Amino acid sequence: MNRLRHSIVLSALLSIGIVSQASAATAVPPGNRNEVQPNIPRGSAVRTNANKTTYDKKYEKVRTLLETDRKLQQKIKATAKAYGIEPIHMVGAIVGEHTYNVDAYDHLQTYYVKAVSYLKSSFTFSYDGELVDDFINRPEFAPCEETSGSHALWSCRESIWESRFRGKMVDGKRFPNDRFSAVFFQPFYAGQTFGIGQLNPLTALLMTDTVNKISGFERLSHKDPQGVYKAIMDPDVSLAYVAATLKHGIQAYRRIAGFDISKNPGVTATLYNLGNPEMRATRLATENQKRKQRGEPMKLPEENYYGWLVNDRLDELQELVAKF
């Protein structure tokens, strides 16, 4: 759904009672809704095979890191508390990313070293010679300046990209049929994510006001790509962005779809993986309203392949978290 339309749709849903109030949220029970794991994307399989490893080996590697690194355990526990979520949600997101994206490093210290290296690198957030700062100053993006907060601002800009530029010819320039984050915010290769939370730069820009407010870290700017990459590589900062993203997804599903997903780490991990929780919550709310009108039971939020793994290994991961 076009994000500019989202606020209009959400207002309509509120007016006709599709969106439940927080006090009436339906608790989503633990466990998977799917009996078997949903299909894993081909890209994940290609990356894993190219590195001559397996999903099980990658899972064991990240689990070992979480199990043996006391400093990381303490950071996760403290960060989760600051953001009002259970540590298992952060563990689930980290496990999912490093099982299906890239291998975890053996030591937390390696992430700090990588973070510093980006300050010395020369790269820009740009496409075909056009800096993202110049791009978002095109007249099409003017409505976004009326928004408040980093999440609303960058969501608006992403929506404009989807509706006005993605895969289109604009002012004599052809733009790729790809995500905004992949085109402008991944200067090394598309699909690139970094750090213990495997964040992409646009996610960090979306959540920077929340992280600034709760953790006190300096706000990130698209004009300082090196600073953005350092933040998503530095575990001290990156973990705050992981927690903020998870918290945002939980709040969106409660506010829009009327579901409390805080007891289902597989669902929160799924949202962390997919992004756009408002859009997904709106779709679910709309579908459940139609089901209600037909006298059918409501549909609960479901996990994808990534969240399915988290729920499937939940007992083991909960046991690990209990040692934090």
Side-chain angles (χ1 to χ4, degrees), residues 184-259:
F184 276 95
F185 295 96
Q186 295 171 346
F188 303 107
Y189 58 88
Q192 181 183 39
T193 51
F194 284 101
I196 190 69
Q198 287 297 289
L199 292 157
N200 73 60
L202 183 55
T203 298
L205 290 169
L206 282 159
M207 302 310 304
T208 192
D209 278 358
T210 298
V211 169
N212 171 261
K213 180 179 179 180
I214 296 177
S215 297
F217 293 122
E218 185 177 352
R219 287 183 175 87
L220 302 178
S221 170
H222 62 282
K223 298 179 183 180
D224 179 20
Q226 287 75 19
V228 173
Y229 270 78
K230 180 181 182 299
I232 61 180
M233 280 300 299
D234 183 337
D236 292 334
V237 183
S238 181
L239 287 172
Y241 279 93
V242 173
T245 303
L246 289 161
K247 181 182 180 71
H248 183 80
I250 291 171
Q251 290 176 330
Y253 264 63
R254 176 181 286 271
R255 184 180 72 252
I256 300 171
F259 284 111

Side-chain angles (χ1 to χ4, degrees), residues 101 117 121 142 163 185 221 269:
N101 195 345
S117 71
S121 301
S163 63
F185 295 96
S221 170

Side-chain angles (χ1 to χ4, degrees), residues 239-299:
L239 287 172
Y241 279 93
V242 173
T245 303
L246 289 161
K247 181 182 180 71
H248 183 80
I250 291 171
Q251 290 176 330
Y253 264 63
R254 176 181 286 271
R255 184 180 72 252
I256 300 171
F259 284 111
D260 177 3
I261 60 175
S262 65
K263 301 303 180 184
N264 193 307
V267 172
T268 59
T270 295
L271 293 177
Y272 186 86
N273 175 240
L274 296 176
N276 298 332
E278 290 93 349
M279 176 188 70
R280 300 179 195 285
T282 300
R283 286 176 178 171
L284 183 58
T286 302
E287 180 177 349
N288 277 332
Q289 179 65 10
K290 293 177 180 178
R291 284 171 171 258
K292 182 178 180 180
Q293 293 170 349
R294 295 193 298 262
E296 299 173 355
M298 67 179 175
K299 181 180 180 180

